Amino acid sequence: MWKYVKKYLHFAVVAAAFMVGEVLMDLLQPEIMSRIVDDGVLGVSNGGVGDMSLIWSLGLKMIILVIIGGTCGSLNNVFAHMTGQNIGNEIRKDAFKNIMAFSFPQVDQFSTGSLITRVTNDITQVQNYISLFVRGMIRTSMLMFGSMYFMFRLNRQFGLIVVCAFPFIVGCMALCLYKANPLFGKLQAELDRINVIMQEDVSGIRMIKACVREIYEKVRFGKANDALIKTQLRILTIFALMNPIINALMYLVVAVILLAGSYEAGAGGSATPGDIMAAITYTTQLLNGILGLVMLFQNLSRGLASWKRMKEVLYSQPQIRDGGFNGNTELHGKIEFRDVSFAYPGSTQMILKHINLTIQPGETVAIMGATGCGKSSLVNLIPRFYDVTEGTVLVDDVDVKDYDQKLLRDKIAIALQKSELFSIPIAENIAWGSGDVRQEEIEKAAQIAQADSFIQATPDGYDTMVAERGMSLSGGQKQRISIARAIVKNAEILIFDDSTSALDLKTEADLYAALQETNPASTKLIIAQRIASVRRADRIVVLENGCIAACGSHAELMEGCGTYRDIYDSQMGEDGEKNG
């Protein structure tokens, strides 16, 4: 944390200086009040004759001290919050930057809901802890030790009474913090769980309603929320029991001071009514310091638990790192899989097994197969969303692990089946990820993707705002905008991962025809479930159980691959076969 604190240490030092000023003003007041009572009102040192001028002068001095203390306190608040807010801002930006560099396995490991909790709630806890620490640690420490110092200076016997009670108070605090501290980490983990459920339910609200699962989700959320409240109540109960015990101890100290003071005053000792009043005030300040310290340690415990969780994000190194290659290649769009096998992190089951495949620049290759056979897993290895378990993936005869990731992914454009759109205008959604592109380039890409007609029909055309997650568009419209986004990038390799599944056959055919005409040099990988989508590809790869079962043109597979022919017959029928 020092990395962040040192950048704004000057604010913390200024805040601490103002807090010292505020507490000093508070500590000076009881002694002045003692003089007003003893000398100004009772006239203890003047034969019982009061001194009004002394009351006025000391009263004015007290007012000035209050104004100075209040000013110092206000300025302390300003600088303490500047410290906490700025440090929180730096941590949040670094956390987000690190999350953006995470590989897919790392995101899966943390879970989206947990990452959201860490970047929002956990960082808020950390910045609150820092603000309270800058303000509270100095205040509570000075109030406690300053009150005891002035108490000894005022009356040694009063000071000894407080010192005797101090170990019991500290022991009570330590016991409560020991019990509560493990619960704060558990509390944040349960908050993670709530955020995960909320995210799943909001994003899947249509499916929940379609399946009439509202009650089930209410129960699931209720259980997670009950667990959170149960932990929260355990923490609150611990501190609720601690506060009255400490208060009782301090009131006992006050009672003993009154008893000792009255006994000493009655015996002709040095204690005066003003001394007793000042001792009670110092005891109250000591109590406030102790209670403030309790609250400080409560926030400290939660803040440190949150910081521990943030460190996992801030100091996690990306599992997929840049290679040293960032130069040019002679080839543009060649892809090669050399004896590639792949299993997802944490799993021993191979999704892909001994894949050997070479795709030449400008070639159109389709990939077909049953659900779960590894089609998407295969293409995800090209931009290094995941690293291979065995073997090598090469782009333009260079191992993808050797590439600078930005250079590698600049060569590749991807359109996914689930189209990710943002709450920005349609034109910006298409241009997103391609840097500075002209309006005519955006419109040309939309025309190729067969999206121009419906975009022009919207009220504001290309400036029409897209609702959150593209909810204002149909599935086919979202897919066409996603395809236009891939096309406008003008990349050497185009990957369509079942991204035309929501399009009718005519629109899909028009799209591929326009794409072949305008982007003949691009290498195209098409994942599809429909024969009609892939039959015109240069080659079709049939995956079966993670292995390449066959590879060839449509005509070749119809002759030599039973699996492909069965798929064709089931989709096109006998009449389609005759016309093929």
Side-chain angles (χ1 to χ4, degrees), residues 223-378:
K223 287 180 178 178
N225 197 49
D226 289 344
L228 176 71
I229 295 301
K230 184 179 179 181
T231 303
Q232 183 75 65
L233 287 175
R234 285 180 65 189
I235 294 170
L236 292 175
T237 300
I238 290 170
F239 286 100
L241 291 172
M242 179 184 67
N243 285 345
I245 293 172
I246 292 177
N247 279 330
L249 287 170
M250 293 310 298
Y251 287 134
L252 181 62
V253 170
V254 171
V256 174
I257 287 173
L258 286 172
L259 183 63
S262 62
Y263 177 80
E264 187 174 342
S270 60
T272 64
D275 289 344
I276 296 172
M277 184 180 293
I280 293 172
T281 305
Y282 282 129
T283 304
T284 303
Q285 288 182 340
L286 178 62
L287 173 62
N288 290 334
I290 291 171
L291 293 177
L293 190 64
V294 170
M295 297 306 297
L296 179 67
F297 276 111
Q298 181 181 349
N299 283 281
L300 172 67
S301 298
R302 188 166 187 179
L304 288 177
S306 293
W307 172 244
K308 182 179 178 182
R309 286 159 50 85
M310 283 310 306
K311 283 200 300 183
E312 294 173 0
V313 174
L314 291 167
Y315 299 118
S316 288
Q317 295 298 320
Q319 293 176 355
I320 295 178
R321 301 191 182 187
D322 286 334
F325 182 79
N326 55 9
N328 296 318
T329 56
E330 295 181 8
L331 300 171
H332 297 284
K334 181 181 178 183
I335 304 167
E336 184 178 357
F337 297 90
R338 290 182 185 171
D339 197 29
V340 168
S341 297
F342 172 70
Y344 282 100
S347 172
T348 57
Q349 181 183 1
M350 288 293 181
I351 303 298
L352 299 169
K353 305 163 191 172
H354 306 292
I355 301 294
N356 288 282
L357 177 67
T358 301
I359 303 169
Q360 298 299 333
E363 192 176 9
T364 298
V365 174
I367 303 173
M368 292 197 70
T371 301
C373 69
K375 302 184 296 295
S376 296
S377 300
L378 182 67

Side-chain angles (χ1 to χ4, degrees), residues 42 99 114-115 117 138 151 180 206 224 227 245 277 292 344 367 410 429-430 432 471 477 520 542 544 548 557:
L42 300 177
I99 289 169
S114 177
L115 289 173
T117 304
I138 293 173
M151 189 88 78
R206 294 188 177 189
I245 293 172
M277 184 180 293
Y344 282 100
I367 303 173
D410 280 344
N429 265 292
I430 294 174
W432 197 85
M471 299 301 289
Q477 289 172 337
V542 180
E544 194 169 0
I548 295 179
L557 293 177

Side-chain angles (χ1 to χ4, degrees), residues 91-99 119 123 310 313-314:
I91 295 174
R92 189 174 287 109
K93 288 191 291 188
D94 281 359
F96 185 79
K97 178 182 176 182
N98 220 35
I99 289 169
V119 174
I123 291 179
M310 283 310 306
V313 174
L314 291 167

